[in-house]
C-alpha cells in the first residue's frame, strides 16, 4: 500500500479534477461521509449528494478555476484554497437571474478537513451578490 498524498497534493488533485470536469476523480478523493457545505446553501452529506450537486452545477455552469493558492495546516488535517472562478452561465438556475451565456469572474475560497488521505469536509465561499451583479 502506497503513502497517502499530502493535504496539498490531495487538494491540487481535487481542483485538477474539477477543471477537467472529472466528477469521478473528485469523488475518489472524498471520504464516504463527506460533508459538503455549499455557498449559502445546505450541508450535503455523502458522495451521492456531492455527485448530484456536481451534475446540477455542470448543467447550469461551465467553470474553470485559476490563480489557485493552497494553504496547508501543520499536521495535514486542514487546508484552504483561494482561487478565481471563471465561468459561463449556461442554463437558468432556480431562483437566480436568467441565463443567457453570461461570463463571470469571482474570487472564491474553499476550506477542507482531511483524514486518512481523504477529504472529509469541503466548505466553499464566494460573493453571491457580486455574481448576480455580473450576470444581470
Amino acid at each position: 500500500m502506497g503513502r497517502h498524498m499530502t493535504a496539498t497534493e490531495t487538494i491540487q488533485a481535487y481542483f485538477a479534477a474539477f477543471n477537467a470536469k472529472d466528477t469521478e476523480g473528485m469523488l475518489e478523493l472524498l471520504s464516504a461521509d463527506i460533508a459538503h457545505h455549499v455557498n449559502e446553501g445546505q450541508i450535503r452529506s455523502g458522495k451521492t449528494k456531492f455527485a448530484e450537486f456536481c451534475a446540477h452545477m455542470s448543467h447550469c455552469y461551465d467553470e474553470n478555476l485559476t490563480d489557485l493558492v493552497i494553504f496547508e495546516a501543520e499536521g495535514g488535517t486542514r487546508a484552504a484554497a483561494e482561487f478565481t472562478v471563471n465561468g459561463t452561465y449556461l442554463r437558468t438556475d432556480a431562483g437566480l437571474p436568467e441565463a443567457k451565456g453570461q461570463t463571470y469572474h469571482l474570487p472564491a475560497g474553499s476550506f477542507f478537513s482531511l483524514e486518512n488521505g481523504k477529504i472529509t469536509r469541503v466548505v466553499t465561499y464566494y460573493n453571491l451578490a457580486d455574481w448576480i451583479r455580473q450576470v444581470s
Side-chain angles (χ1 to χ4, degrees):
M1 184 126 172
R3 71 166 181 86
H4 289 305
M5 290 189 285
T6 66
T8 297
E9 290 167 339
T10 301
I11 303 311
Q12 286 172 330
Y14 175 87
F15 285 116
F18 178 93
N19 279 341
K21 300 177 185 2
D22 178 10
T23 299
E24 286 301 317
M26 293 171 73
L27 291 170
E28 288 175 17
L29 299 166
L30 306 178
S31 68
D33 62 347
I34 181 72
H36 181 212
H37 299 243
V38 180
N39 189 70
E40 300 194 34
Q42 301 299 315
I43 298 171
R44 297 167 179 265
S45 297
K47 287 186 177 186
T48 299
K49 293 283 187 191
F50 187 92
E52 290 168 357
F53 176 82
C54 289
H56 170 77
M57 291 298 288
S58 295
H59 179 76
C60 295
Y61 310 91
D62 180 21
E63 295 181 331
N64 184 67
L65 310 180
T66 57
D67 309 317
L68 180 65
V69 178
I70 298 170
F71 307 89
E72 181 177 337
E74 194 172 325
T77 61
R78 302 288 273 286
E82 182 179 12
F83 48 90
T84 302
V85 179
N86 306 283
T88 303
Y89 190 24
L90 303 173
R91 290 174 193 82
T92 303
D93 201 346
L96 296 172
E98 183 181 349
K100 302 175 204 159
Q102 308 93 311
T103 59
Y104 52 92
H105 305 280
L106 286 173
S110 291
F111 301 91
F112 300 88
S113 294
L114 300 98
E115 189 176 310
N116 298 321
K118 297 288 185 179
I119 298 168
T120 60
R121 178 183 62 101
V122 179
V123 181
T124 300
Y125 291 109
Y126 57 88
N127 186 327
L128 181 60
D130 184 21
W131 179 85
I132 289 172
R133 181 190 57 74
Q134 290 186 49
V135 301
S136 293

